[in-house]
mmCIF file with all atom_site columns, all heavy atoms in Angstrom:
data_model
loop_
_atom_site.group_PDB
_atom_site.id
_atom_site.type_symbol
_atom_site.label_atom_id
_atom_site.label_alt_id
_atom_site.label_comp_id
_atom_site.label_asym_id
_atom_site.label_entity_id
_atom_site.label_seq_id
_atom_site.pdbx_PDB_ins_code
_atom_site.Cartn_x
_atom_site.Cartn_y
_atom_site.Cartn_z
_atom_site.occupancy
_atom_site.B_iso_or_equiv
_atom_site.pdbx_formal_charge
_atom_site.auth_seq_id
_atom_site.auth_comp_id
_atom_site.auth_asym_id
_atom_site.auth_atom_id
_atom_site.pdbx_PDB_model_num
ATOM 1   N N   . PRO A 1 2  ? 0.735  2.195   -1.049 1.00 46.00 ? 907 PRO A N   1
ATOM 2   C CA  . PRO A 1 2  ? 1.626  3.329   -1.018 1.00 46.00 ? 907 PRO A CA  1
ATOM 3   C C   . PRO A 1 2  ? 1.211  4.271   0.163  1.00 46.00 ? 907 PRO A C   1
ATOM 4   O O   . PRO A 1 2  ? 0.127  4.307   0.612  1.00 46.00 ? 907 PRO A O   1
ATOM 5   C CB  . PRO A 1 2  ? 1.166  3.967   -2.393 1.00 46.00 ? 907 PRO A CB  1
ATOM 6   C CG  . PRO A 1 2  ? 0.366  3.068   -3.148 1.00 46.00 ? 907 PRO A CG  1
ATOM 7   C CD  . PRO A 1 2  ? -0.242 2.118   -2.054 1.00 46.00 ? 907 PRO A CD  1
ATOM 8   N N   . ASP A 1 3  ? 2.306  4.919   0.697  1.00 47.00 ? 908 ASP A N   1
ATOM 9   C CA  . ASP A 1 3  ? 2.066  5.924   1.739  1.00 47.00 ? 908 ASP A CA  1
ATOM 10  C C   . ASP A 1 3  ? 1.631  7.214   1.106  1.00 47.00 ? 908 ASP A C   1
ATOM 11  O O   . ASP A 1 3  ? 1.367  7.344   -0.076 1.00 47.00 ? 908 ASP A O   1
ATOM 12  C CB  . ASP A 1 3  ? 3.204  5.984   2.656  1.00 47.00 ? 908 ASP A CB  1
ATOM 13  C CG  . ASP A 1 3  ? 4.412  6.589   2.016  1.00 47.00 ? 908 ASP A CG  1
ATOM 14  O OD1 . ASP A 1 3  ? 4.391  7.244   0.892  1.00 47.00 ? 908 ASP A OD1 1
ATOM 15  O OD2 . ASP A 1 3  ? 5.554  6.411   2.589  1.00 47.00 ? 908 ASP A OD2 1
ATOM 16  N N   . VAL A 1 4  ? 1.561  8.349   1.935  1.00 50.00 ? 909 VAL A N   1
ATOM 17  C CA  . VAL A 1 4  ? 0.956  9.671   1.527  1.00 50.00 ? 909 VAL A CA  1
ATOM 18  C C   . VAL A 1 4  ? 1.969  10.163  0.422  1.00 50.00 ? 909 VAL A C   1
ATOM 19  O O   . VAL A 1 4  ? 1.517  11.034  -0.434 1.00 50.00 ? 909 VAL A O   1
ATOM 20  C CB  . VAL A 1 4  ? 0.802  10.659  2.666  1.00 50.00 ? 909 VAL A CB  1
ATOM 21  C CG1 . VAL A 1 4  ? -0.354 10.260  3.459  1.00 50.00 ? 909 VAL A CG1 1
ATOM 22  C CG2 . VAL A 1 4  ? 2.098  10.735  3.556  1.00 50.00 ? 909 VAL A CG2 1
ATOM 23  N N   . ASN A 1 5  ? 3.143  9.806   0.361  1.00 47.00 ? 910 ASN A N   1
ATOM 24  C CA  . ASN A 1 5  ? 4.146  10.258  -0.616 1.00 47.00 ? 910 ASN A CA  1
ATOM 25  C C   . ASN A 1 5  ? 4.234  9.426   -1.875 1.00 47.00 ? 910 ASN A C   1
ATOM 26  O O   . ASN A 1 5  ? 5.048  9.588   -2.696 1.00 47.00 ? 910 ASN A O   1
ATOM 27  C CB  . ASN A 1 5  ? 5.561  10.422  -0.047 1.00 47.00 ? 910 ASN A CB  1
ATOM 28  C CG  . ASN A 1 5  ? 5.464  11.404  1.186  1.00 47.00 ? 910 ASN A CG  1
ATOM 29  O OD1 . ASN A 1 5  ? 4.915  12.436  1.085  1.00 47.00 ? 910 ASN A OD1 1
ATOM 30  N ND2 . ASN A 1 5  ? 6.029  10.991  2.296  1.00 47.00 ? 910 ASN A ND2 1
ATOM 31  N N   . GLY A 1 6  ? 3.253  8.364   -1.845 1.00 47.00 ? 911 GLY A N   1
ATOM 32  C CA  . GLY A 1 6  ? 3.355  7.468   -3.086 1.00 47.00 ? 911 GLY A CA  1
ATOM 33  C C   . GLY A 1 6  ? 4.368  6.392   -2.947 1.00 47.00 ? 911 GLY A C   1
ATOM 34  O O   . GLY A 1 6  ? 4.466  5.600   -3.813 1.00 47.00 ? 911 GLY A O   1
ATOM 35  N N   . ARG A 1 7  ? 5.111  6.344   -1.796 1.00 49.00 ? 912 ARG A N   1
ATOM 36  C CA  . ARG A 1 7  ? 6.050  5.205   -1.710 1.00 49.00 ? 912 ARG A CA  1
ATOM 37  C C   . ARG A 1 7  ? 5.438  3.938   -1.231 1.00 49.00 ? 912 ARG A C   1
ATOM 38  O O   . ARG A 1 7  ? 4.515  3.935   -0.491 1.00 49.00 ? 912 ARG A O   1
ATOM 39  C CB  . ARG A 1 7  ? 7.105  5.598   -0.711 1.00 49.00 ? 912 ARG A CB  1
ATOM 40  C CG  . ARG A 1 7  ? 8.154  6.642   -1.225 1.00 49.00 ? 912 ARG A CG  1
ATOM 41  C CD  . ARG A 1 7  ? 9.260  6.965   -0.254 1.00 49.00 ? 912 ARG A CD  1
ATOM 42  N NE  . ARG A 1 7  ? 8.749  7.480   1.015  1.00 49.00 ? 912 ARG A NE  1
ATOM 43  C CZ  . ARG A 1 7  ? 8.872  8.704   1.474  1.00 49.00 ? 912 ARG A CZ  1
ATOM 44  N NH1 . ARG A 1 7  ? 9.572  9.569   0.748  1.00 49.00 ? 912 ARG A NH1 1
ATOM 45  N NH2 . ARG A 1 7  ? 8.400  9.039   2.624  1.00 49.00 ? 912 ARG A NH2 1
ATOM 46  N N   . GLN A 1 8  ? 5.959  2.774   -1.579 1.00 46.00 ? 913 GLN A N   1
ATOM 47  C CA  . GLN A 1 8  ? 5.426  1.598   -1.068 1.00 46.00 ? 913 GLN A CA  1
ATOM 48  C C   . GLN A 1 8  ? 5.946  1.345   0.334  1.00 46.00 ? 913 GLN A C   1
ATOM 49  O O   . GLN A 1 8  ? 7.104  1.768   0.716  1.00 46.00 ? 913 GLN A O   1
ATOM 50  C CB  . GLN A 1 8  ? 6.015  0.343   -1.971 1.00 46.00 ? 913 GLN A CB  1
ATOM 51  C CG  . GLN A 1 8  ? 5.532  0.335   -3.392 1.00 46.00 ? 913 GLN A CG  1
ATOM 52  C CD  . GLN A 1 8  ? 4.023  0.020   -3.383 1.00 46.00 ? 913 GLN A CD  1
ATOM 53  O OE1 . GLN A 1 8  ? 3.454  -0.787  -2.763 1.00 46.00 ? 913 GLN A OE1 1
ATOM 54  N NE2 . GLN A 1 8  ? 3.274  0.753   -4.239 1.00 46.00 ? 913 GLN A NE2 1
ATOM 55  N N   . ASN A 1 9  ? 5.022  0.868   1.199  1.00 54.00 ? 914 ASN A N   1
ATOM 56  C CA  . ASN A 1 9  ? 5.331  0.576   2.477  1.00 54.00 ? 914 ASN A CA  1
ATOM 57  C C   . ASN A 1 9  ? 6.046  -0.821  2.519  1.00 54.00 ? 914 ASN A C   1
ATOM 58  O O   . ASN A 1 9  ? 5.304  -1.864  2.380  1.00 54.00 ? 914 ASN A O   1
ATOM 59  C CB  . ASN A 1 9  ? 4.086  0.648   3.403  1.00 54.00 ? 914 ASN A CB  1
ATOM 60  C CG  . ASN A 1 9  ? 4.457  0.303   4.934  1.00 54.00 ? 914 ASN A CG  1
ATOM 61  O OD1 . ASN A 1 9  ? 5.666  0.062   5.207  1.00 54.00 ? 914 ASN A OD1 1
ATOM 62  N ND2 . ASN A 1 9  ? 3.424  0.197   5.642  1.00 54.00 ? 914 ASN A ND2 1
ATOM 63  N N   . LEU A 1 10 ? 7.328  -0.861  2.763  1.00 61.00 ? 915 LEU A N   1
ATOM 64  C CA  . LEU A 1 10 ? 8.026  -2.084  2.569  1.00 61.00 ? 915 LEU A CA  1
ATOM 65  C C   . LEU A 1 10 ? 8.288  -2.787  3.979  1.00 61.00 ? 915 LEU A C   1
ATOM 66  O O   . LEU A 1 10 ? 8.821  -3.889  4.095  1.00 61.00 ? 915 LEU A O   1
ATOM 67  C CB  . LEU A 1 10 ? 9.429  -1.798  1.988  1.00 61.00 ? 915 LEU A CB  1
ATOM 68  C CG  . LEU A 1 10 ? 9.345  -1.444  0.503  1.00 61.00 ? 915 LEU A CG  1
ATOM 69  C CD1 . LEU A 1 10 ? 10.705 -1.134  0.011  1.00 61.00 ? 915 LEU A CD1 1
ATOM 70  C CD2 . LEU A 1 10 ? 8.714  -2.358  -0.259 1.00 61.00 ? 915 LEU A CD2 1
ATOM 71  N N   . VAL A 1 11 ? 7.664  -2.239  5.069  1.00 73.00 ? 916 VAL A N   1
ATOM 72  C CA  . VAL A 1 11 ? 7.868  -2.759  6.422  1.00 73.00 ? 916 VAL A CA  1
ATOM 73  C C   . VAL A 1 11 ? 6.884  -3.927  6.533  1.00 73.00 ? 916 VAL A C   1
ATOM 74  O O   . VAL A 1 11 ? 5.695  -3.719  6.422  1.00 73.00 ? 916 VAL A O   1
ATOM 75  C CB  . VAL A 1 11 ? 7.635  -1.792  7.534  1.00 73.00 ? 916 VAL A CB  1
ATOM 76  C CG1 . VAL A 1 11 ? 7.871  -2.335  8.809  1.00 73.00 ? 916 VAL A CG1 1
ATOM 77  C CG2 . VAL A 1 11 ? 8.589  -0.622  7.314  1.00 73.00 ? 916 VAL A CG2 1
ATOM 78  N N   . THR A 1 12 ? 7.454  -5.120  6.706  1.00 85.00 ? 917 THR A N   1
ATOM 79  C CA  . THR A 1 12 ? 6.423  -6.315  6.847  1.00 85.00 ? 917 THR A CA  1
ATOM 80  C C   . THR A 1 12 ? 5.857  -6.321  8.217  1.00 85.00 ? 917 THR A C   1
ATOM 81  O O   . THR A 1 12 ? 6.569  -6.261  9.190  1.00 85.00 ? 917 THR A O   1
ATOM 82  C CB  . THR A 1 12 ? 7.275  -7.611  6.540  1.00 85.00 ? 917 THR A CB  1
ATOM 83  O OG1 . THR A 1 12 ? 7.964  -7.442  5.325  1.00 85.00 ? 917 THR A OG1 1
ATOM 84  C CG2 . THR A 1 12 ? 6.348  -8.785  6.464  1.00 85.00 ? 917 THR A CG2 1
ATOM 85  N N   . LYS A 1 13 ? 4.580  -6.610  8.229  1.00 96.00 ? 918 LYS A N   1
ATOM 86  C CA  . LYS A 1 13 ? 3.879  -6.594  9.550  1.00 96.00 ? 918 LYS A CA  1
ATOM 87  C C   . LYS A 1 13 ? 3.966  -8.058  10.157 1.00 96.00 ? 918 LYS A C   1
ATOM 88  O O   . LYS A 1 13 ? 3.874  -9.018  9.467  1.00 96.00 ? 918 LYS A O   1
ATOM 89  C CB  . LYS A 1 13 ? 2.340  -6.280  9.413  1.00 96.00 ? 918 LYS A CB  1
ATOM 90  C CG  . LYS A 1 13 ? 2.167  -4.798  9.027  1.00 96.00 ? 918 LYS A CG  1
ATOM 91  C CD  . LYS A 1 13 ? 0.658  -4.567  8.850  1.00 96.00 ? 918 LYS A CD  1
ATOM 92  C CE  . LYS A 1 13 ? 0.396  -3.085  8.425  1.00 96.00 ? 918 LYS A CE  1
ATOM 93  N NZ  . LYS A 1 13 ? -0.902 -2.906  7.900  1.00 96.00 ? 918 LYS A NZ  1
ATOM 94  N N   . THR A 1 14 ? 4.252  -8.173  11.431 1.00 97.00 ? 919 THR A N   1
ATOM 95  C CA  . THR A 1 14 ? 4.333  -9.428  12.106 1.00 97.00 ? 919 THR A CA  1
ATOM 96  C C   . THR A 1 14 ? 3.219  -9.659  13.083 1.00 97.00 ? 919 THR A C   1
ATOM 97  O O   . THR A 1 14 ? 2.805  -8.783  13.830 1.00 97.00 ? 919 THR A O   1
ATOM 98  C CB  . THR A 1 14 ? 5.723  -9.446  12.923 1.00 97.00 ? 919 THR A CB  1
ATOM 99  O OG1 . THR A 1 14 ? 6.725  -9.300  12.008 1.00 97.00 ? 919 THR A OG1 1
ATOM 100 C CG2 . THR A 1 14 ? 5.925  -10.721 13.637 1.00 97.00 ? 919 THR A CG2 1
ATOM 101 N N   . ILE A 1 15 ? 2.712  -10.950 12.923 1.00 98.00 ? 920 ILE A N   1
ATOM 102 C CA  . ILE A 1 15 ? 1.601  -11.334 13.867 1.00 98.00 ? 920 ILE A CA  1
ATOM 103 C C   . ILE A 1 15 ? 2.449  -12.235 14.923 1.00 98.00 ? 920 ILE A C   1
ATOM 104 O O   . ILE A 1 15 ? 3.143  -13.158 14.559 1.00 98.00 ? 920 ILE A O   1
ATOM 105 C CB  . ILE A 1 15 ? 0.590  -12.233 13.168 1.00 98.00 ? 920 ILE A CB  1
ATOM 106 C CG1 . ILE A 1 15 ? 0.077  -11.386 11.975 1.00 98.00 ? 920 ILE A CG1 1
ATOM 107 C CG2 . ILE A 1 15 ? -0.446 -12.643 14.060 1.00 98.00 ? 920 ILE A CG2 1
ATOM 108 C CD1 . ILE A 1 15 ? -0.895 -12.359 11.049 1.00 98.00 ? 920 ILE A CD1 1
ATOM 109 N N   . LEU A 1 16 ? 2.054  -11.984 16.200 1.00 98.00 ? 921 LEU A N   1
ATOM 110 C CA  . LEU A 1 16 ? 2.501  -12.714 17.224 1.00 98.00 ? 921 LEU A CA  1
ATOM 111 C C   . LEU A 1 16 ? 1.574  -13.820 17.697 1.00 98.00 ? 921 LEU A C   1
ATOM 112 O O   . LEU A 1 16 ? 0.370  -13.465 17.909 1.00 98.00 ? 921 LEU A O   1
ATOM 113 C CB  . LEU A 1 16 ? 2.926  -11.808 18.460 1.00 98.00 ? 921 LEU A CB  1
ATOM 114 C CG  . LEU A 1 16 ? 3.629  -12.405 19.658 1.00 98.00 ? 921 LEU A CG  1
ATOM 115 C CD1 . LEU A 1 16 ? 5.020  -12.957 19.248 1.00 98.00 ? 921 LEU A CD1 1
ATOM 116 C CD2 . LEU A 1 16 ? 3.777  -11.327 20.699 1.00 98.00 ? 921 LEU A CD2 1
ATOM 117 N N   . ILE A 1 17 ? 1.941  -15.015 17.624 1.00 98.00 ? 922 ILE A N   1
ATOM 118 C CA  . ILE A 1 17 ? 1.011  -16.139 18.062 1.00 98.00 ? 922 ILE A CA  1
ATOM 119 C C   . ILE A 1 17 ? 1.399  -16.764 19.328 1.00 98.00 ? 922 ILE A C   1
ATOM 120 O O   . ILE A 1 17 ? 2.494  -17.504 19.378 1.00 98.00 ? 922 ILE A O   1
ATOM 121 C CB  . ILE A 1 17 ? 0.918  -17.170 16.835 1.00 98.00 ? 922 ILE A CB  1
ATOM 122 C CG1 . ILE A 1 17 ? 0.616  -16.552 15.493 1.00 98.00 ? 922 ILE A CG1 1
ATOM 123 C CG2 . ILE A 1 17 ? -0.064 -18.323 17.207 1.00 98.00 ? 922 ILE A CG2 1
ATOM 124 C CD1 . ILE A 1 17 ? 0.699  -17.467 14.414 1.00 98.00 ? 922 ILE A CD1 1
ATOM 125 N N   . LEU A 1 18 ? 0.680  -16.502 20.398 1.00 98.00 ? 923 LEU A N   1
ATOM 126 C CA  . LEU A 1 18 ? 1.188  -16.783 21.753 1.00 98.00 ? 923 LEU A CA  1
ATOM 127 C C   . LEU A 1 18 ? 0.293  -18.093 22.202 1.00 98.00 ? 923 LEU A C   1
ATOM 128 O O   . LEU A 1 18 ? -0.801 -18.252 21.952 1.00 98.00 ? 923 LEU A O   1
ATOM 129 C CB  . LEU A 1 18 ? 0.930  -15.748 22.744 1.00 98.00 ? 923 LEU A CB  1
ATOM 130 C CG  . LEU A 1 18 ? 1.745  -14.513 22.409 1.00 98.00 ? 923 LEU A CG  1
ATOM 131 C CD1 . LEU A 1 18 ? 1.385  -13.407 23.492 1.00 98.00 ? 923 LEU A CD1 1
ATOM 132 C CD2 . LEU A 1 18 ? 3.256  -14.800 22.494 1.00 98.00 ? 923 LEU A CD2 1
ATOM 133 N N   . ASN A 1 19 ? 0.986  -19.020 22.909 1.00 98.00 ? 924 ASN A N   1
ATOM 134 C CA  . ASN A 1 19 ? 0.413  -20.214 23.459 1.00 98.00 ? 924 ASN A CA  1
ATOM 135 C C   . ASN A 1 19 ? 0.732  -20.437 24.863 1.00 98.00 ? 924 ASN A C   1
ATOM 136 O O   . ASN A 1 19 ? 1.934  -20.334 25.264 1.00 98.00 ? 924 ASN A O   1
ATOM 137 C CB  . ASN A 1 19 ? 0.866  -21.477 22.629 1.00 98.00 ? 924 ASN A CB  1
ATOM 138 C CG  . ASN A 1 19 ? 0.383  -21.300 21.180 1.00 98.00 ? 924 ASN A CG  1
ATOM 139 O OD1 . ASN A 1 19 ? -0.665 -21.822 20.887 1.00 98.00 ? 924 ASN A OD1 1
ATOM 140 N ND2 . ASN A 1 19 ? 1.243  -20.757 20.220 1.00 98.00 ? 924 ASN A ND2 1
ATOM 141 N N   . GLY A 1 20 ? -0.227 -20.861 25.620 1.00 98.00 ? 925 GLY A N   1
ATOM 142 C CA  . GLY A 1 20 ? -0.011 -20.974 27.095 1.00 98.00 ? 925 GLY A CA  1
ATOM 143 C C   . GLY A 1 20 ? 0.292  -22.413 27.438 1.00 98.00 ? 925 GLY A C   1
ATOM 144 O O   . GLY A 1 20 ? 0.702  -23.176 26.618 1.00 98.00 ? 925 GLY A O   1
ATOM 145 N N   . PRO A 1 21 ? 0.067  -22.717 28.786 1.00 98.00 ? 926 PRO A N   1
ATOM 146 C CA  . PRO A 1 21 ? 0.508  -23.878 29.367 1.00 98.00 ? 926 PRO A CA  1
ATOM 147 C C   . PRO A 1 21 ? 0.089  -25.316 28.671 1.00 98.00 ? 926 PRO A C   1
ATOM 148 O O   . PRO A 1 21 ? -1.083 -25.321 28.311 1.00 98.00 ? 926 PRO A O   1
ATOM 149 C CB  . PRO A 1 21 ? 0.099  -23.839 30.730 1.00 98.00 ? 926 PRO A CB  1
ATOM 150 C CG  . PRO A 1 21 ? -1.004 -22.939 30.825 1.00 98.00 ? 926 PRO A CG  1
ATOM 151 C CD  . PRO A 1 21 ? -0.719 -21.902 29.702 1.00 98.00 ? 926 PRO A CD  1
#
Side-chain angles (χ1 to χ4, degrees):
D908 65 17
V909 284
N910 301 312
R912 286 185 299 249
Q913 291 295 316
N914 179 3
L915 296 175
V916 180
T917 308
K918 292 177 181 166
T919 299
I920 304 168
L921 187 59
I922 305 176
L923 297 178
N924 293 274

